[in-house]
Amino acid sequence: MPRFAANLLYLFTEVPFFDRFELAAKCGFKAVEFHVPYDWPVNELAAVLKDNRLDMVLMDTQMGHWSGGERGYAALPGKEAEFRASLDRTIEYASTLGCKTVHVMASVVQPGTDRGAMERVYVSNLATAAERFKPYGIRAVVEPINNRLGITLGQASYTTQGMLGYLINTTGQAVKLIEQADSDNVFLHLDCYHMQLMEGHLAETLREQMPRLQHIQIAGVPGRHEPDVGEINYPFIFDLLDECGYSGWIGCEYRPHTTTLAGLGWAARYGISEQNLI
């Protein structure tokens, strides 16, 4: 039986941020994820998670200067010291929130920057992060993200269809970097939405990468809307994950076509529904 986590920066945005936890729990979600927890006091986040009996299952390292175009900076030459210093705050948040999975954000490829140099910096920083996380039981993950689409017009700035120019775009690239990091605390994070846009072969790849797979996310293609809209057969994917023994969380990182509650029909068979509110 798949386990779903609500991404609270994409779902339940009809209500203020701290009200989304209760709404997600009442609909039947047992876990949440959101990639930038640093915008809120960590103790307040921990309290609202506890009050609603929710697990926090995924967050990111810090994004850097978002409005300046940064999408993480673990791969930026010259920012190695800044990234490594930022890990103190990442560990503080992850530990306090009980979050055991942290996505190490690489970066977009800056004009004039050598991709090979960026990859080397990323591998070094990834290995450092993994070792820093390990005593706290936190796993580092690498996620390939499509580099062709960007911020969604008319939506919150953190709601995107992709990250233009992002360094890591395919499963093969991510696996290569994971292997180079040479750590038993670095794993793979796959978003089926990005996979379908960049490479396809979802079933084959998920089955092949199962031993190193730590987290999965879903959304419909095209549009990044509900998973029952578009070209991906998600019920087949969910059955495949059960067959393969996947026991991790599946993050619902999609943009509701209208409202979150109206779009939860796909999840009713898994015990998540607006009917639970009645």
Side-chain angles (χ1 to χ4, degrees), residues 221-240:
V221 176
R224 200 167 190 171
H225 296 302
E226 284 83 353
D228 59 349
V229 177
E231 62 196 42
I232 301 177
N233 182 354
Y234 275 110
F236 171 81
I237 295 294
F238 299 151
D239 288 345
L240 172 69

Side-chain angles (χ1 to χ4, degrees), residues 4-14 27 29 33 35 152 155 158-161 191 193 217-229 234 238 250-268 272-273:
F4 296 99
N7 188 302
L8 296 187
L9 298 185
Y10 282 72
L11 302 186
F12 304 108
T13 58
E14 300 85 356
C27 284
F29 284 102
E33 60 177 40
H35 41 280
T152 304
Q155 300 289 322
Y158 46 70
T159 304
T160 72
Q161 292 196 62
D191 186 326
Y193 164 79
Q217 289 175 320
I218 59 172
V221 176
R224 200 167 190 171
H225 296 302
E226 284 83 353
D228 59 349
V229 177
Y234 275 110
F238 299 151
I250 300 174
C252 301
E253 192 181 50
Y254 64 82
R255 300 183 303 118
H257 199 69
T258 55
T259 68
T260 303
L261 295 179
L264 284 179
W266 68 272
I272 299 169
S273 171

Side-chain angles (χ1 to χ4, degrees), residues 23 44 53 64 98 119 138:
L23 197 51
E44 291 183 23
R53 299 181 180 179
E119 290 181 351
I138 301 166

Side-chain angles (χ1 to χ4, degrees), residues 187-188 190 203-214 216 240-247:
F187 298 86
L188 186 61
L190 291 177
E204 177 183 352
T205 301
L206 289 168
R207 190 186 297 276
E208 180 181 291
Q209 298 300 331
M210 194 58 58
R212 57 167 58 95
L213 190 56
Q214 173 70 14
I216 294 172
L240 172 69
L241 293 172
D242 280 346
E243 175 192 328
C244 293
Y246 177 73
S247 59

Side-chain angles (χ1 to χ4, degrees), residues 35 37-38 59-65 70-76 78-95 102-106 121-122 124-126 128-130 132-133 136 138:
H35 41 280
Y38 314 101
M59 56 178 275
D60 291 353
T61 53
Q62 294 180 62
M63 292 283 189
H65 187 33
E70 289 185 352
R71 300 293 183 265
Y73 50 95
L76 288 182
K79 286 205 167 187
E80 293 92 338
E82 182 178 345
F83 171 76
R84 295 181 185 199
S86 77
L87 293 175
D88 288 338
R89 193 163 186 232
T90 298
I91 291 168
E92 175 195 2
Y93 268 73
S95 298
V102 173
H103 170 209
V104 180
M105 290 289 299
V121 169
Y122 184 69
S124 177
N125 281 334
L126 179 62
T128 297
R132 291 282 307 278
F133 293 164
Y136 302 91
I138 301 166

